[in-house]
Amino acid sequence: MSDVVEKTLTALPSLLSLDSQPGSGKLSSTSKLGNLIRGITELTSKHEEEKLIQRELSSIKEQVASPNTSMRQMKELMVRAIYCEMLGYEASFSYIHAIKLAQQGTVLEKRVGYLAVSLFLNESHELLLLLVNTVLKDLQSTNLIEVCMALTVVSQMFPKDMIPAILPLVEEKLTHPKEIIRRKAVLALYKFYLIAPNQVQHIHNKFRKALCDKDPGVMTASLHIYLQMIKENPEGYKDLTASFVTILKQVVGGKLPMDFNYHSVPAPWLQIQLLRILSLLGKDDQSTSEMMYEVLDESLRRAEMNHNITYAILYECVKSIYTIHPKAELLEKAAKCIGNFVLSPKINLKYLGLKALTYVVQQDANLALQHQLTIIECLDHSDLVIKRETLELLFRITNAQNVTVIVEKMLEFLRLSKDDYTTIDLVGKVAELAEKYAPDNEWFIETMNTVFSLGGDMMQPDIPNSFLRLLSEGFDSTEEDRQLRLFAVDSYVSLLQGEPGRLPQRFLQVISWVLGEYSHLREGLEPATTLRLLAKLLDMKHTSSETKSWVLLAMSKLCEGPDCVSLAQELSERHGGSLDTVLRQRVQELRHLSEDAELRASVLPRDAAQEPLEVDSSLSFLDGFVSEALSAGAAPYKPPHQRQEELAQAKALSLEPYGLSLPISMSSCSLADRQSPTLLSMSSGLSGNSTDLSHKGGSTTLKLDGVKRVWGKDGYLAQKEPVEESAQVEVPSPLCSPSRQGGADSTHSQTPTPTPTPEPEKEKQQLASSLFVGLGSQSSVCLMGKSEQTPQRFRRKAKGQGSSSGASEQISNSHYSTQSTVDNLLCNNLLDSTVTSDLAVSTPEQTPQLSQEVATTNGTCDAEQDLIEETDPGNSPSLIRANSTVTADPPAHKDPDRPKDSCLSSHLPAELAGLSHSEIIPLCSSQNLDLSACHVQKEDALLLVIFIENSSDSDIEQMLLQTESDELEVSCVTDSPVEAVRSLSVSVYQYSLMVKRPAAHVALAGTASYQLPSGESQVMQFSYRLPLTSFIRPLCVSTEEYGTLWLAFSQDTKQNLALLNDGQDPLTATLDVLKNKLQLHVVDIIGAEGIVACRLLQGQPCLMHCRVHAGSLAVWLRSPVPDLPDCLLYHCQRALQEH
Amino acid sequence: MQFMLLFSRQGKLRLQKWYVPLSDKEKKKITRELVQTVLARKPKMCSFLEWRDLKIVYKRYASLYFCCAIEDQDNELITLEIIHRYVELLDKYFGSVCELDIIFNFEKAYFILDEFLLGGEAQETSKKNVLKAIEQADLLQESEDEYLSVKIFK
């Protein structure tokens, strides 16, 4: 009773004083908190607040520690402590009392205790362990509210290791009669699944039960778990698709209780959750996608009310529709939806519209074309968020023609943006675009200058790195290289003459490197001038010591003549005493090199940046030193892993028989004798260096230099171009896809050309034409339009194995395919050529999927085309096809690949018929021709066989196949290349392939040109990709030979591989798999070590040394060829994974 | 959802709920940055922000800002409606809610939030059910408080 009295007394004055304030009538009775809050609001300074809170905290601290404090008072104290923490003051002393309160209080006090715990602690806090017992007790309580509280806290945080302790109790609650308990139990399990998925693996069937719960709330809760599980493994839950579709149908149809309505929309949260699940299930899966078309359509239709919640559903629907296997009808509706979003005056919807556009623009560039004016408006929007999203969209549609305008817009934004995150991201994007699409040298250098100045020292380090590599490696034409470097030098000299103090460190480093390397290219620029400019940098206050060493290195390259010697002397006096050892070293180098021109020429040869550095990684020049040391009694060198192992062995008992251990140590000794520290193997170029690859991709793309600036005065070029281009291939213009025509119409109607437009309007139009130029052609349906971009992609892909650019190629390829699918559906079947040109772009792996798509799209068209086509394409077997007139029909190439394979393989040349060949893959096709290919592995050669199948009833003349590849040497084997392909026959070309430069996958690109009977010539493009493994043959050597070879090779790579564990000896098993899959030769296996050898077709060897170590296989590869070890390693990994 | 913050126009934090484990220092830093960013935005601007690698969805109700952080693939609009539903719940519970109600009864606001969102996911979207759960737990408290207030004013 005493508390009550105390409470009453303290409460009285505050309650009275509050009377005058509005809303005070219902203020809480926890008056001490009220006092505190009021006290704070009356304060004027932060300092006073601090004092007040500290006083408050010490009073709380005193009270919670007192044994006389009742739980009831404790509850009130906890609320105050929470408040203090919220204000940013630490009250960690109260944490333990919060746990105590949850443990000992009555229901009400417990509630506050649990709340305080959940606010004070996080998952990893050690005090949380003390809560486990309380939770256990409460889960078993008969009081429902206590059970609820325990489940609530468990769903928010629980120590991972203690899950097993309470799991059975939580599981039990899944069958509780009260739905609120079941629901919370499901959410608790969801939490467990998130933090420790293994621990709840055994109760997956109970999740299914929860999904079928009669209470919609419980079912909804279970969807959280399903969404997570399906995200991780969509294949495992395909069987549930029908159930999810049914549930969504019922929800959309309003079958749920009214309680679940939100602004008269039935259970929107549930709908969105289901849509997300469905899109994950339907992704890349046609048959599953087909199950959901109807309900998606229904959802789109029902969501018509003008309220945020319906837009939320629509947005999710649109996302699903574009994620799953496409269906034209739905895509059209979704596109309309996106249009409504973009055009909406509500800014939130506009933002989402832009986001959706960004998402779909690669599939359907026309959509961006339709909204070009809106996009332009958004670009100048006062809200930076909108601007930023618009730039993201523009980034996706950038091509060689609009790059300058888009990059300019991005740089404009960068100058405004204050946020580091945005800057880093955008700077990276600008650099990427500049490397990919730069129209000329000047622009490229200037853009990169801006990138370096704006990006400062925050940007990712690979931007300057790849820029420098691009400069040093150059392109095909040396004149072009010279121009670019010269321009860079000029621009940097003038920058240094200005105010170099403002430039970021990274930029200064780039500048010094370029000047050091290339300033000799500029005639009339005295080295002394450059040196003085560089020396100025050393004196600046803000120059970091890292930059200083770059500067000094550049100076070392330049110093020539007596002036320089004295300058070097002076510098060495000034910096010779620097605390930074690197700097001191550099200054010394500079001084010595300036005095000895000969030495300098050999150490820093001019123009040698792109020459691969020959590093003797076996350190053979140290042999004398080593043998001397050994004879003087030094211990032989052991690599770290061996030392560790020996250390471990020294501690444990040796279980190996004595007889065996001797040769092991011998062999490892001889191998380990003269190893290099891996760091030195600089020249093993590929060693997982991704910037290297991406940059090489960039260098090839820069060849696009010749691309003219075609935007500007002409206005909406994008609309004009496709028509022109389609004229080139002589496809009658009505065949243009209606959607694009629609787009053109709508834009024309937006901007009636004849009427004079006001000035700002005109500006916008001009901007539009420069931004969206080239988009139409990219998405256009004609062959010629694409040919310009296709070769570039080939080259990039061929080089970009495993690099990010490679991945993005794949994505864009698949987008193209969908694009064409849509076009195809919309237009006529005659445009089959688009599909086939896409096939040409695709990689062999994608082909099955693509051709499947082709088959379906055509299938749909066929239904509409019954009148023209009398045959049923679905069951025209290829055997009949080969010699009946039916084959002239476009659907010829729709047949599944299988029968075609067997049919074509009969055309294999007799001498190859007995050998095993790869699957015959369609390369590309047109109305008349189908190209397919396979490769045949021979002992001493690898042959590429290309089949040209003429399916038309007229002969094809002047057939010419040309191939090119960066990685392969291709030579024609066929004696007299076929020049004409007779009607309905197959011609075969044979090429012998050799590896020029190893890559994990090697590819070749080619064109087939031919003349139709009408005299019109046609060009088709294709590519073929095959793994390096096809070129690998066993290399039979003895152990001794292996030993000598090993020491001779300099390119090496080390890595750990997984060890197979199927029964017998893991080493032998693993090596057997590699031997069988990759055709390696196992030279010897001794104990825990094995040596393996193989060679490339033309003979370059690669050696592999394997050792079982700590449960994995430590492999060490050596070869005389750069990149070969890395590529082989990649295939070893794959082979073991697939096993 | 990663976290939810409620703060006043003056930048005073009124409620914070974190669904991801973060250190106190990080929490303070994030709060400070976000409050600043959101308060600097003009009323007609977009309710969504890209912030670090997260997406911020915020809305202002009278003098109070409600601010949620979601992941990139989450639906921004539905998050806006989560905020709105929470405000509706508060409104129904307190009877035309104002900032003062939340300041002085913030623990109640937390209880309601915990019934509505659990572990960062919408737990129960039916307004009736959420309030029923809260009322049941409140029942005892109410009777005690009534007893108390009767005492005070007698």
Side-chain angles (χ1 to χ4, degrees):
Chain A
M1 204 57 204
S2 66
D3 324 332
V4 180
V5 176
E6 186 197 84
K7 224 174 161 138
T8 317
L9 289 175
T10 44
L12 264 175
S14 64
L15 280 171
L16 293 175
S17 72
L18 267 174
D19 272 355
S20 53
Q21 284 179 23
S24 61
K26 53 188 177 193
L27 283 186
S28 143
S29 56
T30 52
S31 54
K32 275 184 181 162
L33 175 72
N35 272 340
L36 174 65
I37 295 169
R38 249 168 279 120
I40 291 170
T41 44
E42 280 160 16
L43 297 176
T44 46
S45 76
K46 182 81 189 164
H47 179 67
E48 283 177 349
E49 181 190 294
E50 209 163 291
K51 259 185 10 204
L52 182 74
I53 303 279
Q54 290 307 347
R55 217 167 40 226
E56 179 77 17
L57 280 176
S58 52
S59 124
I60 296 175
K61 192 171 183 175
E62 203 177 293
Q63 289 185 56
V64 289
S66 147
N68 296 329
T69 311
S70 69
M71 279 299 143
R72 197 187 162 100
Q73 285 166 321
M74 193 69 101
K75 171 188 140 203
E76 195 266 322
L77 288 167
M78 276 309 134
V79 173
R80 271 153 65 198
I82 297 176
Y83 191 80
C84 292
E85 281 243 322
M86 185 157 69
L87 289 177
Y89 299 88
E90 200 204 72
S92 53
F93 62 84
S94 56
Y95 296 174
I96 184 74
H97 297 285
I99 291 178
K100 223 160 84 187
L101 186 63
Q103 197 176 0
Q104 296 168 357
T106 61
V107 180
L108 283 173
E109 293 143 11
K110 211 183 239 316
R111 194 180 180 203
V112 174
Y114 272 131
L115 175 68
V117 168
S118 74
L119 292 172
F120 287 154
L121 307 182
N122 67 31
E123 238 153 66
S124 44
H125 203 287
E126 50 200 358
L127 281 181
L128 210 51
L129 282 177
L130 298 177
L131 196 71
V132 175
N133 258 328
T134 316
V135 168
L136 258 176
K137 201 182 81 202
D138 285 338
L139 281 177
Q140 287 161 301
S141 161
T142 46
N143 186 335
L144 287 187
I145 293 176
E146 279 181 348
V147 179
C148 272
M149 287 192 287
L151 285 172
T152 305
V153 82
V154 162
S155 321
Q156 297 182 63
M157 59 178 70
F158 201 73
K160 199 157 123 186
D161 308 333
M162 298 309 286
I163 291 175
I166 59 161
L167 189 57
L169 283 174
V170 177
E171 260 184 84
E172 195 180 278
K173 298 288 179 281
L174 287 175
T175 50
H176 199 277
K178 274 281 190 199
E179 59 268 4
I180 184 168
I181 304 268
R182 292 203 302 275
R183 191 178 72 216
K184 282 180 193 273
V186 170
L187 283 166
L189 290 175
Y190 170 60
K191 179 73 184 175
F192 295 167
Y193 181 82
L194 286 181
I195 56 177
N198 296 334
Q199 308 218 11
V200 289
Q201 219 149 37
H202 60 287
I203 41 176
H204 279 197
N205 58 336
K206 294 207 173 155
F207 295 155
R208 292 210 175 204
K209 223 169 180 174
L211 183 64
C212 305
D213 200 286
K214 60 182 188 295
D215 179 67
V218 181
M219 186 268 289
T220 312
S222 77
L223 290 183
H224 294 306
I225 303 180
Y226 276 103
L227 181 67
Q228 200 61 34
M229 294 195 297
I230 292 171
K231 232 184 238 170
E232 283 153 24
N233 171 26
E235 291 310 314
Y237 301 91
K238 298 270 181 188
D239 58 319
L240 285 176
T241 315
S243 320
F244 292 129
V245 168
T246 320
I247 298 174
L248 184 54
K249 252 183 209 156
Q250 287 175 351
V251 176
V252 174
K255 299 271 165 35
L256 285 190
M258 288 293 278
D259 284 348
F260 290 90
N261 281 11
Y262 177 83
H263 295 266
S264 63
V265 173
W269 280 273
L270 180 53
Q271 285 195 44
I272 283 174
Q273 197 78 351
L274 284 166
L275 285 169
R276 289 180 70 180
I277 289 179
L278 287 182
S279 72
L280 288 173
L281 287 171
K283 193 176 180 199
D284 300 329
D285 182 340
Q286 188 182 356
S287 57
T288 311
S289 296
E290 272 163 5
M291 297 166 78
M292 48 188 88
Y293 288 149
E294 192 193 327
V295 73
L296 286 175
D297 195 35
E298 174 91 7
S299 301
L300 275 183
R301 211 157 39 77
R302 293 261 184 171
E304 268 176 347
M305 206 180 55
N306 180 16
H307 186 278
N308 258 347
I309 197 71
T310 49
Y311 291 125
I313 295 173
L314 278 179
Y315 181 66
E316 209 59 47
C317 266
V318 167
K319 259 168 74 175
S320 303
I321 289 171
Y322 273 95
T323 310
I324 62 169
H325 188 88
K327 186 182 186 207
E329 202 183 309
L330 284 176
L331 287 175
E332 210 176 308
K333 286 184 186 169
K336 217 172 104 195
C337 251
I338 294 179
N340 289 340
F341 274 77
V342 173
L343 295 173
S344 164
K346 288 183 187 163
I347 189 158
N348 288 343
L349 295 186
K350 207 181 245 333
Y351 171 84
L352 287 181
L354 287 171
K355 210 177 133 190
L357 264 187
T358 313
Y359 188 63
V360 305
V361 74
Q362 275 147 327
Q363 293 177 51
D364 191 357
N366 286 319
L367 214 49
L369 280 180
Q370 279 170 32
H371 299 296
Q372 31 184 314
L373 282 187
T374 321
I375 294 173
I376 303 268
E377 270 164 27
C378 292
L379 205 51
D380 287 329
H381 205 280
S382 56
D383 190 346
L384 286 187
V385 173
I386 300 279
K387 242 179 167 160
R388 176 80 184 79
E389 196 57 40
T390 316
L391 288 177
E392 197 65 39
L393 171 61
L394 290 179
F395 172 71
R396 304 283 174 102
I397 59 166
T398 311
N399 56 37
Q401 294 161 52
N402 58 16
V403 65
T404 46
V405 191
I406 290 181
V407 164
E408 190 187 313
K409 288 282 165 197
M410 289 170 112
L411 292 177
E412 216 170 82
F413 185 88
L414 267 174
R415 290 190 189 101
L416 287 177
S417 160
K418 300 262 183 315
D419 176 38
D420 291 356
Y421 254 78
T422 319
T423 310
I424 295 172
D425 182 54
L426 265 185
V427 156
K429 283 183 171 147
V430 172
E432 187 188 329
L433 292 180
E435 277 191 21
K436 247 194 205 162
Y437 301 116
D440 56 51
N441 293 332
E442 219 166 301
W443 182 88
F444 178 64
I445 297 292
E446 265 162 18
T447 305
M448 290 311 283
N449 283 355
T450 326
V451 164
F452 291 136
S453 323
L454 290 174
D457 295 316
M458 295 182 288
M459 66 182 161
Q460 302 100 319
D462 57 328
I463 297 175
N465 288 349
S466 74
F467 172 74
L468 290 184
R469 213 173 290 199
L470 193 104
L471 273 185
S472 66
E473 287 186 2
F475 332 109
D476 291 346
S477 123
T478 33
E479 178 52 27
E480 196 67 42
D481 295 349
R482 214 181 64 84
Q483 289 291 335
L484 180 64
R485 290 166 190 165
L486 205 56
F487 194 83
V489 169
D490 285 350
S491 134
Y492 295 160
V493 166
S494 62
L495 272 175
L496 287 190
Q497 279 163 347
E499 270 187 86
R502 295 180 172 201
L503 302 177
Q505 301 299 314
R506 285 258 177 76
F507 193 17
L508 289 177
Q509 292 164 11
V510 167
I511 291 178
S512 0
W513 190 87
V514 171
L515 288 182
E517 203 67 31
Y518 299 118
S519 63
H520 64 89
L521 291 175
R522 165 56 67 214
E523 286 165 30
L525 180 67
E526 287 296 317
T529 324
T530 323
L531 276 180
R532 264 194 297 279
L533 284 174
L534 286 171
K536 214 165 75 186
L537 296 180
L538 291 177
D539 296 334
M540 284 182 339
K541 210 167 45 191
H542 299 292
T543 315
S544 70
S545 55
E546 194 195 348
T547 311
K548 281 180 185 163
S549 26
W550 283 73
V551 172
L552 286 169
L553 191 63
M555 293 174 81
S556 312
K557 292 176 192 165
L558 289 172
C559 54
E560 221 172 37
D563 288 8
C564 306
V565 178
S566 65
L567 182 64
Q569 208 85 45
E570 187 201 320
L571 284 177
S572 85
E573 272 158 31
R574 195 143 24 111
H575 297 279
S578 162
L579 283 178
D580 193 313
T581 42
V582 181
L583 213 59
R584 258 189 350 242
Q585 161 96 12
R586 291 271 176 259
V587 175
Q588 287 306 321
E589 283 169 11
L590 170 65
R591 199 170 58 86
H592 284 295
L593 293 176
S594 71
E595 285 161 3
D596 188 344
E598 218 169 284
L599 180 64
R600 185 164 53 85
S602 70
V603 175
L604 298 165
R606 185 163 279 182
D607 241 346
Q610 73 272 37
E611 304 284 322
L613 213 52
E614 277 302 327
V615 175
D616 181 3
S617 66
S618 64
L619 302 184
S620 57
F621 56 90
L622 286 176
D623 278 356
F625 177 77
V626 171
S627 61
E628 224 168 82
L630 282 174
S631 65
Y637 174 76
K638 285 172 193 154
H641 67 97
Q642 196 186 348
R643 263 177 280 160
Q644 256 173 11
E645 211 171 313
E646 279 174 14
L647 214 63
Q649 272 169 2
K651 279 181 198 150
L653 282 175
S654 167
L655 294 176
E656 276 182 64
Y658 285 108
L660 264 175
S661 65
L662 195 62
I664 296 176
S665 61
M666 285 286 278
S667 76
S668 63
C669 239
S670 68
L671 285 175
D673 217 331
R674 289 196 309 194
Q675 288 130 344
S676 63
T678 18
L679 270 177
L680 261 175
S681 63
M682 290 181 199
S683 44
S684 72
L686 203 98
S687 308
N689 189 344
S690 63
T691 53
D692 179 6
L693 291 164
S694 63
H695 137 76
K696 274 181 192 159
S699 75
T700 47
T701 49
L702 256 181
K703 279 184 223 153
L704 274 177
D705 269 355
V707 176
K708 291 279 168 292
R709 299 176 186 226
V710 260
W711 63 87
K713 297 164 193 116
D714 292 345
Y716 291 89
L717 277 185
Q719 270 82 43
K720 283 187 187 165
E721 256 185 16
V723 184
E724 275 167 25
E725 275 160 348
S726 51
Q728 276 170 19
V729 266
E730 296 187 64
V731 179
S733 52
L735 284 180
C736 281
S737 91
S739 77
R740 192 176 60 257
Q741 285 199 328
D745 287 343
S746 69
T747 32
H748 278 306
S749 62
Q750 276 169 357
T751 57
T753 16
T755 51
T757 37
E759 207 40 47
E761 268 305 292
K762 222 179 208 164
E763 261 171 41
K764 274 186 193 166
Q765 281 174 24
Q766 250 173 10
L767 185 59
S769 65
S770 49
L771 278 177
F772 297 95
V773 69
L775 258 195
S777 69
Q778 200 169 6
S779 65
S780 84
V781 281
C782 49
L783 272 173
M784 299 305 273
K786 265 189 187 156
S787 62
E788 188 182 68
Q789 274 143 11
T790 325
Q792 173 200 343
R793 270 205 304 268
F794 281 145
R795 254 177 261 139
R796 296 204 63 218
K797 186 158 53 183
K799 286 197 170 172
Q801 298 306 339
S803 76
S804 59
S805 70
S808 65
E809 290 316 322
Q810 291 223 339
I811 294 166
S812 65
N813 277 343
S814 59
H815 283 321
Y816 275 113
S817 69
T818 7
Q819 161 66 28
S820 73
T821 321
V822 183
D823 273 353
N824 223 35
L825 278 171
L826 295 176
C827 62
N828 279 312
N829 203 9
L830 281 171
L831 277 178
D832 269 344
S833 53
T834 28
V835 182
T836 56
S837 73
D838 284 320
L839 273 178
V841 180
S842 70
T843 56
E845 291 136 358
Q846 284 179 318
T847 322
Q849 183 210 338
L850 277 178
S851 56
Q852 202 182 10
E853 280 180 26
V854 173
T856 44
T857 31
N858 286 344
T860 337
C861 285
D862 286 340
E864 297 159 8
Q865 286 222 330
D866 268 343
L867 289 175
I868 311 165
E869 275 170 45
E870 285 164 359
T871 48
D872 180 3
N875 55 22
S876 81
S878 59
L879 285 176
I880 310 171
R881 204 166 65 92
N883 44 20
S884 75
T885 45
V886 184
T887 53
D889 284 341
H893 57 270
K894 289 173 214 157
D895 293 322
D897 296 334
R898 272 294 150 209
K900 186 167 189 165
D901 191 315
S902 64
C903 156
L904 278 175
S905 60
S906 65
H907 289 282
L908 268 175
E911 70 270 20
L912 301 181
L915 298 164
S916 68
H917 64 87
S918 69
E919 192 188 339
I920 299 181
I921 292 166
L923 291 176
C924 61
S925 34
S926 67
Q927 274 155 311
N928 311 308
L929 288 182
D930 291 276
L931 261 67
S932 327
C934 67
H935 56 269
V936 183
Q937 285 198 34
K938 283 171 67 175
E939 182 69 23
D940 56 344
L942 188 85
L943 295 178
L944 173 72
V945 185
I946 298 182
F947 303 91
I948 304 180
E949 196 179 359
N950 182 353
S951 48
S952 70
D953 40 12
S954 51
D955 298 351
I956 301 263
E957 300 289 341
Q958 296 192 0
M959 188 69 217
L960 186 64
L961 276 187
Q962 282 175 319
T963 55
E964 63 164 74
S965 167
D966 291 328
E967 296 111 351
L968 290 171
E969 233 171 83
V970 188
S971 48
C972 192
V973 177
T974 327
D975 307 328
S976 51
V978 195
E979 289 201 326
V981 186
R982 302 272 150 249
S983 149
L984 303 173
S985 74
V986 178
S987 305
V988 179
Y989 283 72
Q990 273 186 57
Y991 292 92
S992 154
L993 305 181
M994 294 281 232
V995 178
K996 231 174 7 186
R997 214 197 55 197
H1001 287 90
V1002 290
L1004 66 92
T1007 50
S1009 55
Y1010 57 93
Q1011 211 166 55
L1012 291 178
S1014 56
E1016 173 195 339
S1017 61
Q1018 295 272 18
V1019 180
M1020 290 176 6
Q1021 305 208 333
F1022 60 87
S1023 75
Y1024 192 79
R1025 193 169 107 115
L1026 61 174
L1028 188 75
T1029 43
S1030 320
F1031 296 91
I1032 286 175
R1033 301 285 179 274
L1035 175 68
C1036 297
V1037 288
S1038 68
T1039 314
E1040 289 75 38
E1041 285 165 336
Y1042 183 96
T1044 19
L1045 281 175
W1046 180 265
L1047 293 178
F1049 298 157
S1050 55
Q1051 309 289 336
D1052 68 356
T1053 302
K1054 286 182 197 173
Q1055 195 163 341
N1056 285 356
L1057 293 180
L1059 203 55
L1060 295 177
N1061 274 325
D1062 354 336
Q1064 44 152 325
D1065 176 26
L1067 178 65
T1068 323
T1070 314
L1071 291 185
D1072 274 351
V1073 169
L1074 293 179
K1075 181 179 150 193
N1076 294 336
K1077 288 205 171 165
L1078 304 176
Q1079 298 211 45
L1080 310 177
H1081 171 66
V1082 180
V1083 182
D1084 211 349
I1085 298 180
I1086 309 168
E1089 284 181 71
I1091 47 178
V1092 179
C1094 67
R1095 62 180 172 96
L1096 279 182
L1097 255 181
Q1098 57 266 48
Q1100 290 120 336
C1102 184
L1103 306 179
M1104 188 159 121
H1105 172 242
C1106 314
R1107 135 194 296 268
V1108 178
H1109 175 63
S1112 63
L1113 190 67
V1115 293
W1116 186 2
L1117 292 110
R1118 278 192 169 189
S1119 165
V1121 191
D1123 303 351
L1124 184 56
D1126 291 282
C1127 301
L1128 195 65
L1129 196 59
Y1130 167 80
H1131 284 291
C1132 289
Q1133 263 167 344
R1134 288 217 19 198
L1136 293 178
Q1137 261 164 23
E1138 281 162 16
H1139 181 72
Chain B
M1 192 181 290
Q2 306 243 341
F3 56 84
M4 187 185 221
L5 300 176
L6 261 70
F7 50 86
S8 70
R9 219 166 40 173
Q10 289 78 31
K12 284 248 185 270
L13 196 59
R14 294 302 180 207
L15 204 91
Q16 55 174 343
K17 189 84 193 179
W18 302 82
Y19 297 110
V20 282
L22 289 172
S23 74
D24 283 346
K25 214 174 131 199
E26 280 170 287
K27 286 181 190 172
K28 269 185 206 165
K29 187 163 178 272
I30 293 175
T31 313
R32 203 172 46 235
E33 270 184 48
L34 267 186
V35 167
Q36 230 171 36
T37 320
V38 170
L39 287 179
R41 292 182 61 78
K42 299 196 179 75
K44 288 274 168 177
M45 284 184 167
C46 186
S47 308
F48 316 129
L49 277 182
E50 260 153 70
W51 184 79
R52 300 200 186 169
D53 52 344
L54 293 179
K55 192 147 285 171
I56 305 297
V57 176
Y58 72 91
K59 191 161 184 190
R60 184 179 155 181
Y61 288 87
S63 57
L64 214 51
Y65 283 88
F66 290 70
C67 173
C68 296
I70 54 173
E71 274 135 87
D72 190 49
Q73 69 271 24
D74 289 336
N75 190 317
E76 290 90 346
L77 280 177
I78 199 81
T79 312
L80 216 48
E81 294 314 301
I82 283 186
I83 294 178
H84 189 73
R85 170 52 47 115
Y86 181 46
V87 174
E88 281 181 353
L89 287 168
L90 289 173
D91 197 60
K92 183 103 180 185
Y93 181 82
F94 287 109
S96 77
V97 67
C98 68
E99 193 185 336
L100 281 178
D101 292 321
I102 295 174
I103 300 175
F104 283 91
N105 298 287
F106 65 89
E107 82 274 19
K108 298 267 175 55
Y110 275 121
F111 291 142
I112 297 173
L113 186 61
D114 280 348
E115 277 311 313
F116 175 46
L117 295 176
L118 196 47
E121 304 285 353
Q123 175 196 187
E124 175 58 87
T125 54
S126 148
K127 195 154 48 171
K128 200 181 83 188
N129 288 354
V130 173
L131 291 173
K132 204 167 77 190
I134 294 290
E135 272 154 22
Q136 268 172 356
D138 274 352
L139 216 57
L140 277 159
Q141 192 153 14
E142 287 299 319
S143 56
E144 270 178 53
D145 283 352
E146 266 162 36
Y147 167 74
L148 197 67
S149 48
V150 168
K151 272 272 172 190
I152 291 168
F153 290 107
K154 255 184 187 165

